[in-house]
Structures are given as C-alpha cells and as structure tokens.
Amino acid sequence: MSSAVFRTRSFRAAYDAALGEWPGPVEAVDLPTPYGITRVNSCGPADAPPLVLLPGGGATSLVWGAVAAGAARTHRVHALDLVGDPGLSVPAPGRAIRSVTDLVGWLDAVLDGLGAQGPLTLGGHSYGAWIAAHYAARSAARLDRLVLIDPTQVFAGLRPGYVLRALPVLVRPTPERLRSFLDWETRGAALDPAWLRLQDESARFPALRPVTGPRPDLAALATTPGMRVDVLFAERARCHDAVRAARAARAALPGARVEVLPGVGHHALPLTAAGEITRRL
C-alpha cells in the first residue's frame, strides 16, 4: 500500500495540528524496519531514560501528547505509530505484520533503530498494551519496566455488549460513527478537539485487519527477574469489568503494582488521565 494512501492532505493537516500541541521540541523520525517505515515522535532530554509508548488501535502516537508533556521532564519519550494503523507509518509492500512474532520483530527493529538502551520502559494502552505484554514476555531482557494501561485481551476478554456497539465502527468506519462510539464509551467526556479531528480523519483510512491471537504468556511475565510491571485499569471502561480484570492481574502477576483509576473510561484514557499516568511513570 503506497504512502500516498496514508498521507492524504487532510489527514496530514490534522496530524500536524495535534502534534503541534506536544511539548517542544519534538523530533519526528521515520525509521526503516523489515515491515515498513515506522513514524516515531520523540521529546524530552536525549540522555534521559527511554520511554517507548504504543497507542491503542486506531489512536495514533498522538494520543500520548498529554502524557508526554509530563513524562518528558524525566524521560526521553518515543511514541510510535503502529504499522498498518492510522498514522504516518507505512507498511512494506508484501511484508505485512501477520503474527505476534512479526510484532515482536517489528518492535525489536524499532528499538534498534532508536538506539534505545536500558533502563528502558515500554508502555502501551489497550491494544498497544497487548502488544507490549507479548513483547515483554518474549524479550524481557531489553526492558527495565513494563506499563500496561487498561490492557485489553491480556487479563480479561471483551464484553459482548461492547463488541456489538463497536462492530459498526469496525465494519464501516465513518467520522460520525466513530464520534458516536467515543461519546458512548467515554460517557461524554470532554476530549481534545485536535485529537478528535485526527480521529475523524483516521476513520477514512483503509481498513486493515490487526494482528490478534492468544493472550500473552503471563507466567513468563510473572517470573521475569528485575522487570517492574505496572498495570492501570480504567474504572469506567465499557470494554471489560475493571475490578475483575484488576483482580485477575494481581493473581497472575503477584509482584506487579495494579491500580484502578477512578472516574475514567477506556478509549481516551491517555488523554483524560494523563496526570495520573505521568505521576506513576
């Protein structure tokens, strides 16, 4: 799929407007990997400990702007656009990411390209947390800390009612359907207008099937020496029962710090609870 499809003028304008709200200066880099070009937006002191952030499905790296504003005081923040998702990453022709092994290989290549050395913190939200957990279970030696922010399909499955509500957006996304879904899921929370505009443009992206599969190997995470694990759940998430998911996380990872953030929903969590997330980082 050509870069022209992914970089329409209206999408790029919305992307640049949202990026303009980040704490400056921001270094935008397009890193080559075997699976295509990966856009990385970085900020913070160059010699600070690296913090690599993966967004939820369809959210782009720019969902991390409010978190980056705080975290960049103590970390070198690297926020990634997922290859195949809306954003400025561009898949390689004929080399699609099709499996968890591919995802791990892709992220290894990105970290190599960044020259990211420990102590490295890897964080992810939602689907990005699912990717991060799989990566940590297989490549824990590269990580000092893992931060999972309302992870989906890691400690609990999706509620059937949530899946039914999301289905029209997944089958035929439009800006109107996406806005309606976000309003329902966040229970009417006020969201950043620039990010919402970018989400409108993201709804027009070609539909690519994300990599799905089994839950990460939690036993491997639980027995990894020296790696700190933090798990944050959104109390008002509609995708799963946060209290039950937190209970499952504590049982599976006895050494992890597991918390439920009160009064927040799932999809825009990095926007609506940026201060709480930053304090824990």
Side-chain angles (χ1 to χ4, degrees), residues 148-162:
L148 305 178
I149 300 174
D150 215 33
T152 50
Q153 304 286 63
V154 176
F155 303 103
L158 298 175
R159 283 172 164 162
Y162 171 86

Side-chain angles (χ1 to χ4, degrees), residues 132-134 136-137 146 148 154-155 216-224 227 229 253:
H134 270 293
L146 175 68
L148 305 178
V154 176
F155 303 103
D217 185 349
L218 298 179
L221 290 180
T223 57
T224 298
M227 183 177 67
V229 180
L253 304 176

Side-chain angles (χ1 to χ4, degrees), residues 85-145:
D85 251 26
L88 298 186
S89 294
V90 183
R95 189 71 190 274
I97 295 177
R98 301 186 184 279
S99 67
V100 171
T101 298
D102 290 343
L103 282 170
V104 171
W106 163 73
L107 191 49
D108 262 332
V110 171
L111 296 181
D112 289 342
L114 289 171
Q117 305 296 323
L120 169 66
T121 298
L122 177 63
H125 169 236
S126 188
Y127 176 61
W130 181 82
I131 297 172
H134 270 293
Y135 184 84
R138 298 186 182 205
S139 302
R142 295 195 74 156
L143 305 183
D144 179 66
R145 188 178 180 193

Side-chain angles (χ1 to χ4, degrees), residues 3 15 23 38 60 63 80-81 179 186 272:
S3 61
Y15 191 99
T38 298
T60 80
V63 75
L80 279 55
D81 284 344
R179 288 262 185 149
T186 64
T272 56

